[in-house]
Amino acid sequence: MAMDIKTGDITQEHVCAIVNAANSSCMGGGGVDGAIHRAGGPEILEACREIRRSLYPEGLPTGRAVATTAGKMPAKYVIHTVGPIWGRCGSEERCDRLLVDAYRNSLQEALRLGCDSVAFPAISTGIYGFPPERAAKVAYQTIRDFLKRHPEMEVVFVFHTEESRRIFEESIAGA
Ligand code: ADP
């Protein structure tokens, strides 16, 4: 199965699309979102403004995904998705489902764009507080199911620290 796991900076990935763990404003923020907007330059913010104006005046709903240019980064597109905020979903199971949606809709968007490679950060496990062990299982299962149907897609998981990568690998062992 074409799933690769790395430690590094997602903004430097040479893939067709990188996924951004955005917030519903889609206008930038902290964490990986801030890194992506800094590395890609103002073109991304401009494209996000246009999306807010035309498609999502109220903001991007949790679990949805939309694409913009990647500006100056090596990737061609950024797929912005909004992960759930842990503790604000009503129930833990609903948080799981919203995280599944974020991964699935991002993968679907990558397909729609004609991409054959996509890189993900660990959505919701930073500022949004999703327990990383639990998020790892959800992410892995969702990507694995998708790859069964679309074996031509190459998925790269990029962790920012060795520690977060280790947690992911331990959590999916035996899954
Ligand atoms: P969220 O708001 O969805 O929790 P964050 O950006 O706060 O998003 O964190 C998501 C994950 O992305 C965290 O595990 C964080 O360590 C990681 N991260 C932060 N910067 C980068 C980067 N440049 N490349 C890859 N992952 C990153």
Side-chain angles (χ1 to χ4, degrees):
M1 189 177 53
M3 194 191 307
D4 198 8
I5 300 169
K6 290 187 182 175
T7 308
D9 176 5
I10 199 168
T11 65
Q12 300 309 308
E13 282 298 310
H14 290 257
V15 286
C16 181
I18 63 170
V19 175
N20 181 15
N23 56 53
S24 69
S25 82
C26 201
M27 303 299 250
V32 71
D33 195 5
I36 285 173
H37 279 271
R38 274 194 301 278
E43 259 188 276
I44 300 178
L45 193 57
E46 256 168 57
C48 282
R49 273 208 192 95
E50 180 54 30
I51 286 168
R52 280 294 305 272
R53 220 170 43 76
S54 55
L55 281 176
Y56 292 112
E58 311 285 312
L60 185 59
T62 304
R64 297 284 184 83
V66 289
T68 66
T69 169
K72 292 184 289 191
M73 290 182 285
K76 202 163 167 194
Y77 304 104
V78 176
I79 297 173
H80 304 263
T81 191
V82 184
I85 302 176
W86 186 252
R88 298 229 202 127
C89 307
S91 72
E92 294 182 348
E93 291 66 31
R94 191 161 149 66
C95 261
D96 288 344
R97 284 199 293 278
L98 288 166
L99 190 58
V100 168
D101 287 349
Y103 279 97
R104 208 178 266 159
N105 288 327
S106 298
L107 288 161
Q108 212 53 50
E109 186 67 6
L111 273 189
R112 196 186 65 79
L113 294 164
C115 285
D116 58 2
S117 56
V118 55
F120 280 96
I123 299 169
S124 285
T125 64
I127 299 156
Y128 280 5
F130 207 108
E133 299 81 4
R134 188 172 177 124
K137 293 193 183 88
V138 171
Y140 180 71
Q141 283 162 9
T142 307
I143 291 169
R144 195 184 50 186
D145 287 351
F146 177 87
L147 289 177
K148 277 185 200 150
R149 284 174 284 122
H150 300 282
E152 72 283 5
M153 187 70 86
E154 187 194 324
V155 177
V156 187
F157 231 108
V158 184
F159 291 93
H160 206 39
T161 63
E162 286 299 339
E163 170 71 0
S164 53
R165 178 196 175 141
R166 186 186 59 76
I167 292 172
F168 180 85
E169 287 182 323
E170 285 178 11
S171 306
I172 64 165

